Amino acid sequence: MASSMGGMFPGQQPPGPHPAGAPGAPGQPGLLPVASGSRNQSNNTLVDDLEASFEACFASLVSQDYVNGTDQEEIRTGVDQCIQKFLDVARQTECFFLQKRLQLSVQKPEQVVKEDVSELRNELQRKELLIQKHLTKIHHWQQVLEDINVQHKKPTELPQGPLAFLEQASANIPAPMKPN
């Protein structure tokens, strides 16, 4: 997998020959310009561009020019441009990884199947844990309901009749103490 990321990081060359017109092909502007050891602005990789545009977004928000500026439209335009550049580079980075994923699926389809199986196993394990959690809650609430039902059955076992309530209430009153 690391070899399929050639050209993504400084000092790496894209592996294998590139067909004419393919990204990263010699003489063709690709998604990832190959760094030649020096880190000047024209030889940045997508990761460098993404990082720089991300930093530019924050820099534009905290820049002293924007803090002291009075023209809100100019500030908004500058921030929008920085954010748009960041989004463009993020899309290019996503496209790069999607292309590498496609290459991997063509070159090693069994690897993609292994990853899918692994993801399915992880999802199954997560769902089984969730089921266990729900079962625990169900058992708890069943016990609570059972306890409530037992408490409600006790009054029905007492004597019935018009004076049954008074008899029950008077049974709970302590008897007066006899003076000595």
Side-chain angles (χ1 to χ4, degrees):
M1 176 91 175
S3 65
S4 67
M5 299 256 216
M8 178 78 175
F9 301 102
Q12 288 185 330
Q13 296 289 331
H18 295 281
Q28 280 296 111
L31 290 176
L32 298 174
V34 178
S36 62
S38 65
R39 290 188 56 125
N40 58 16
Q41 194 65 16
S42 64
N43 286 334
N44 282 348
T45 64
L46 274 179
V47 172
D48 294 333
D49 291 344
L50 186 65
E51 182 180 0
S53 63
F54 184 72
E55 289 173 358
C57 286
F58 280 107
S60 67
L61 294 173
V62 297
S63 171
Q64 199 63 25
D65 295 337
Y66 290 136
V67 172
N68 295 334
T70 56
D71 187 9
Q72 293 295 322
E73 190 60 35
E74 181 182 331
I75 293 170
R76 179 173 286 126
T77 303
V79 170
D80 285 345
Q81 287 174 348
C82 288
I83 291 173
Q84 190 59 45
K85 181 176 184 336
F86 174 73
L87 292 174
D88 289 342
V89 175
R91 283 187 200 102
Q92 289 175 354
T93 305
E94 181 183 21
C95 184
F96 170 81
F97 282 108
L98 289 173
Q99 287 174 345
K100 291 302 177 182
R101 179 74 176 169
L102 179 62
Q103 287 176 358
L104 181 66
S105 68
V106 169
Q107 294 171 356
K108 297 183 179 181
E110 68 279 357
Q111 183 66 28
V112 175
V113 171
K114 285 180 184 177
E115 289 175 6
D116 289 345
V117 167
S118 176
E119 287 176 12
L120 288 171
R121 282 186 180 143
N122 289 339
E123 184 177 352
L124 185 62
Q125 183 180 18
R126 182 185 60 82
K127 287 182 178 181
E128 284 184 2
L129 288 173
L130 187 62
I131 288 170
Q132 290 300 322
K133 179 181 169 185
H134 286 303
L135 284 175
T136 304
K137 286 182 179 181
I138 287 172
H139 289 303
H140 168 74
W141 287 110
Q142 283 177 336
Q143 186 63 42
V144 168
L145 289 173
E146 188 176 306
D147 292 345
I148 291 172
N149 284 338
V150 167
Q151 289 175 358
H152 284 277
K153 287 182 181 177
K154 285 183 181 178
T156 60
E157 296 170 0
L158 294 175
Q160 299 282 331
L163 299 177
F165 177 74
L166 289 175
E167 290 174 3
Q168 181 184 3
S170 64
N172 293 333
I173 297 175
M177 298 188 75
K178 295 180 183 179
N180 288 339

